[in-house]
Amino acid sequence: MTNTINGIAASQGIAIAKAYHLVHPDLTIEKKEITDVEAEVSRLDHAIQESANELTAIKEHTLKELGPDKAAIFEAHLLVVNDPELIQPVKDKVKTENVNPEFALQEVADMFINMFENMDNEYMKERASDIRDVTKRILAHLLGVNIPNPSLVTEEVIIVAEDLTPSDTAQLNRQFVLGFTTDIGGRTSHSAIMARSMEIPAVVGTKSVTSDTKNGDILIIDGLDGNVIVNPTEEILAQYRNKQQAYKKQKEEWAKLKEEKTVSSDGHHVELAANIGTPKDVKGVLENGGEGVGLYRTEFLYMGRDQLPTEDEQFEAYKTVLENMGDKPVVVRTLDIGGDKELPYLHLPKEMNPFLGFRAIRLCLEEQDIFRTQLRALLRASVYGNLKIMFPMIATLDEFRQAKGILLEEKEKLVASGTKVSESIEIGMMVEIPSSAIIADQFAKEVDFFSIGTNDLIQYTMAADRMNEQVSYLYQPYHPAILRLVNMVIEAAHKEGKWAGMCGEMAGDPIAIPLLLGLGLDEFSMSATSILPARSQLKTLSKEEISKHKHTILSMSTTEEVEEFVREHFMK
């Protein structure tokens, strides 16, 4: 009997294949009293070493297949498996309480998992996921059972699981795994991000797909609309094969736009750029017709390691990106770390509310050695391409002036030492705090450009953590308050002859694109795979026509009114 299960569209595309349930082994443990403590500790050490060996192999496989930013997940797992703060309490428990290491490990791990899961931000919750994944691996070795290896799948399947751990996802054999679906998870989970990198369809957060399906069921994964169809009829199969072909043809049509400029139907040009995390991501930007890099997230250089990257390491990364992009602009965001994105080796204090805490430019202005090292690396690399530098999380004019002052100091020192530095580096800022948007007219006198970071701007404006499911209804990109703030920033920039871009998820949103074009946004930066669909959409839109409705749209009261208006007038 055909059944449709609704979930979250995590990675686009249509996949049709048999269900393959990825069932993890029974890791039920009992508390046992032990007599030979040294033998049990030795057994634990062996299990830890075996787990570390496996994680190293998975990391190397991931590095080769998916690149360094995804491999960094397993660097984090290796840090966990060797973390004395986790392992030493387990050994102490074995020695002092004479309990088996399986029980001791589960007790200690549960304590850490509960602690991280109760923290109110997504980054810390992901740390709980890391500990859970590593603990399962060690327990499996202690219990003498095998953890399933998705890389051994040898026929076309759709993976069905309660959740896919990062190590599960990294081992998926792309030749045979056509898609996956899970009970839990969201668009920002590790597995969803990796699915998009691998370009395989995924539907997550279904709540019941594992219980509502069985091995061998025929499944359709609709990563466009977020549905899983179980045992479809021939008629439904035919419909989805047509939809699959239509999507394939659509992608082929989009591909024809790769070398074209982004021009609206009335001849207005905007720049479509991409958000990247590592030099390896540049390939995707160019393959998808990106006109620049609108956001280079430099924090990936700092993550998944046990010490700060050197100036030369950073220089090489920035130089690679700039050279590969040629004369196309590359906007680099300085280090946006701290609070919710923890670097263990910095030993930053735990915070009650890390999203509003000691992070980004606040951290860099305090820890100037870290900041100056990054700025020197950027300045040295600037002669290899078209570099633009922006500072994140600027709340006050003083912060921008101080950050720019430090940048100019380092430039002066380098030039004095005979090092070549580009004379055409634009210096801008992220607008992600409402205070910055409200006085954008003051900032516009001193910056070269704005880049609006809507992911944070929306959650700060609406006072709603976008990762918190209970208030996710308040994460509203088209809310009139957000649109008015965006409009203020664009108008302030244009009044001073400056340009305004956007690097949040909103920039690639089909509903938001007409609105942003009408408001006069100059640069749209998004995931590389969204560029060609956005270019195709913009070709059909008239900036002049949408601009006529600007006052009407900004006067609306609700998100629903705005969305309905866009669908009715600009998405026919």
Side-chain angles (χ1 to χ4, degrees):
M1 182 177 161
T2 301
N3 179 28
T4 299
I5 306 167
N6 302 119
I8 298 163
S11 183
Q12 287 200 334
I14 307 286
I16 304 170
K18 288 194 296 187
Y20 177 94
H21 274 241
L22 194 63
V23 181
H24 285 271
D26 181 6
L27 298 177
T28 305
I29 56 170
E30 297 175 14
K31 182 178 181 180
K32 295 178 182 175
E33 189 174 337
I34 60 168
T35 52
D36 191 342
V37 172
E38 290 308 314
E40 292 298 311
V41 171
S42 175
R43 197 161 65 85
L44 175 62
D45 283 335
H46 179 71
I48 291 167
Q49 188 56 54
E50 287 293 305
S51 298
N53 293 343
E54 286 176 357
L55 287 167
T56 301
I58 295 170
K59 185 194 81 172
E60 294 302 324
H61 173 80
T62 308
L63 183 64
K64 182 181 171 186
E65 293 293 319
L66 299 173
D69 54 324
K70 304 302 181 292
I73 295 167
F74 303 103
E75 286 281 5
H77 283 202
L78 281 164
L79 289 174
V80 172
V81 83
N82 292 307
D83 187 351
E85 289 193 26
L86 172 68
I87 302 304
Q88 196 54 51
V90 178
K91 291 184 176 180
D92 291 344
K93 207 173 195 43
V94 172
K95 292 173 183 176
T96 59
E97 299 179 24
N98 289 337
V99 293
N100 52 323
E102 294 91 336
F103 179 79
L105 175 62
Q106 192 71 70
E107 288 261 293
V108 173
D110 283 349
M111 179 190 73
F112 280 109
I113 289 165
N114 289 334
M115 180 176 74
F116 283 123
E117 282 189 334
N118 286 321
M119 292 183 182
D120 191 20
N121 76 76
E122 192 66 16
Y123 182 82
M124 291 303 182
K125 286 177 180 175
E126 284 176 8
R127 300 294 66 74
S129 174
D130 290 341
I131 294 169
R132 187 180 286 108
D133 199 10
V134 169
T135 302
K136 282 181 179 177
R137 190 169 295 279
I138 299 171
L139 278 175
H141 283 292
L142 285 169
L143 294 167
V145 296
N146 291 321
I147 287 181
N149 185 345
S151 66
L152 299 178
V153 173
T154 55
E155 62 176 334
E156 290 189 346
V157 297
I158 286 167
I159 299 286
V160 179
E162 181 188 6
D163 191 16
L164 280 177
T165 65
S167 47
D168 287 335
T169 318
Q171 293 176 86
L172 296 180
N173 185 328
R174 280 184 279 186
Q175 182 182 352
F176 297 114
V177 175
L178 304 189
F180 70 76
T181 178
T182 61
D183 287 342
I184 62 177
R187 273 190 60 82
T188 59
S189 61
H190 280 319
S191 54
I193 292 165
M194 291 176 85
R196 291 195 288 275
S197 297
M198 295 163 72
E199 293 192 25
I200 60 172
V203 174
V204 301
T206 63
K207 297 187 173 69
S208 64
V209 74
T210 54
S211 56
D212 289 349
T213 63
K214 61 183 184 299
N215 266 331
D217 280 346
I218 299 298
L219 301 185
I220 299 173
I221 298 290
D222 184 348
L224 303 173
D225 295 326
N227 297 321
V228 179
I229 296 90
V230 186
N231 293 323
T233 62
E234 284 300 323
E235 186 181 352
I236 293 172
L237 268 175
Q239 287 173 9
Y240 273 92
R241 286 201 177 101
N242 289 338
K243 189 172 182 178
Q244 195 177 40
Q245 284 303 309
Y247 182 66
K248 185 182 174 187
K249 283 182 182 173
Q250 178 69 81
K251 286 179 76 175
E252 289 168 359
E253 287 301 310
W254 289 336
K256 293 176 184 176
L257 304 176
K258 179 181 166 183
E259 303 300 331
E260 290 191 17
K261 284 199 164 187
T262 310
V263 183
S264 66
S265 65
D266 57 338
H268 179 77
H269 175 254
V270 296
E271 188 173 282
L272 284 192
N275 302 332
I276 68 169
T278 74
K280 191 167 182 175
D281 295 340
V282 170
K283 183 183 177 191
V285 180
L286 299 174
E287 285 178 351
N288 286 280
E291 295 169 87
V293 169
L295 169 65
Y296 178 3
R297 300 182 179 95
T298 56
E299 55 268 21
F300 283 119
L301 279 166
Y302 296 75
M303 297 168 75
R305 53 191 296 150
D306 55 12
Q307 60 185 359
L308 289 162
T310 65
E311 183 179 324
D312 283 343
E313 283 178 304
Q314 294 188 60
F315 164 73
E316 290 297 336
Y318 306 144
K319 178 186 174 211
T320 299
V321 171
L322 287 163
E323 283 184 327
N324 289 340
M325 289 301 295
D327 60 356
K328 294 179 178 179
V330 175
V331 181
V332 177
R333 179 176 71 189
T334 59
L335 184 60
D336 185 4
I337 210 81
D340 66 315
K341 296 179 203 157
E342 190 179 18
L343 296 181
Y345 53 83
L346 286 187
H347 305 295
L348 296 172
K350 299 288 184 218
E351 297 182 284
M352 288 291 288
N353 195 338
F355 281 105
L356 303 180
F358 183 56
R359 56 179 289 211
I361 201 65
R362 302 166 183 184
L363 170 69
C364 288
L365 293 178
E366 186 73 26
E367 303 284 347
Q368 286 195 20
D369 286 349
I370 297 172
F371 192 36
R372 288 176 184 272
T373 299
Q374 180 176 36
L375 295 177
R376 282 195 303 274
L378 282 165
L379 290 164
R380 286 170 54 200
S382 64
V383 294
Y384 293 95
N386 183 0
L387 174 68
K388 303 176 192 297
I389 297 173
M390 66 177 175
F391 306 122
M393 210 179 176
I394 296 287
T396 69
L397 206 48
D398 287 341
E399 285 177 333
F400 178 77
R401 287 171 177 166
Q402 192 181 348
K404 183 177 177 180
I406 293 169
L407 174 64
L408 296 179
E409 280 175 22
E410 292 304 322
K411 179 183 176 184
E412 198 175 310
K413 288 180 197 171
L414 285 170
V415 171
S417 71
T419 303
K420 287 186 178 180
V421 175
S422 170
E423 287 301 321
S424 58
I425 305 170
E426 291 187 0
I427 303 170
M429 61 176 269
M430 295 275 288
V431 179
E432 46 198 334
I433 297 175
S435 64
S436 301
I438 291 166
I439 61 161
D441 58 329
Q442 301 302 314
F443 279 108
K445 293 178 171 65
E446 304 195 26
V447 304
D448 293 322
F449 66 93
F450 291 123
S451 185
I452 305 168
T454 50
N455 298 1
D456 275 341
L457 182 64
I458 294 166
Q459 71 171 346
Y460 291 148
T461 304
M462 305 299 287
D465 179 355
R466 67 181 188 271
M467 303 301 184
N468 185 329
E469 290 181 9
Q470 289 181 292
V471 295
S472 60
Y473 71 95
L474 288 169
Y475 189 76
Q476 299 179 15
Y478 330 125
H479 191 284
I482 305 301
L483 297 180
R484 290 187 192 185
L485 289 174
V486 169
N487 183 57
M488 288 171 76
V489 175
I490 295 170
E491 285 191 342
H494 291 174
K495 188 177 178 184
E496 297 294 333
K498 312 293 173 65
W499 62 272
M502 179 179 288
C503 58
E505 289 292 318
M506 185 176 174
D509 183 326
I511 298 288
I513 284 172
L515 296 168
L516 298 173
L517 178 68
L519 294 178
L521 190 72
D522 303 296
E523 180 235 44
F524 296 62
S525 192
M526 58 196 69
S527 63
T529 52
S530 298
I531 290 173
L532 293 175
R535 182 168 294 154
S536 177
Q537 181 181 8
L538 282 157
K539 278 169 62 76
T540 69
L541 300 171
S542 164
K543 179 181 185 293
E544 187 181 346
E545 183 62 33
I546 301 170
S547 298
K548 289 177 184 174
H549 299 283
K550 179 174 161 179
H551 178 73
T552 301
I553 292 166
L554 293 176
S555 300
M556 289 178 178
S557 307
T558 68
T559 291
E560 290 74 22
E561 283 180 56
V562 173
E563 185 171 351
E564 187 179 334
F565 189 85
V566 171
R567 289 188 185 280
E568 185 180 337
H569 290 82
F570 312 127
M571 297 190 77
K572 290 178 181 176

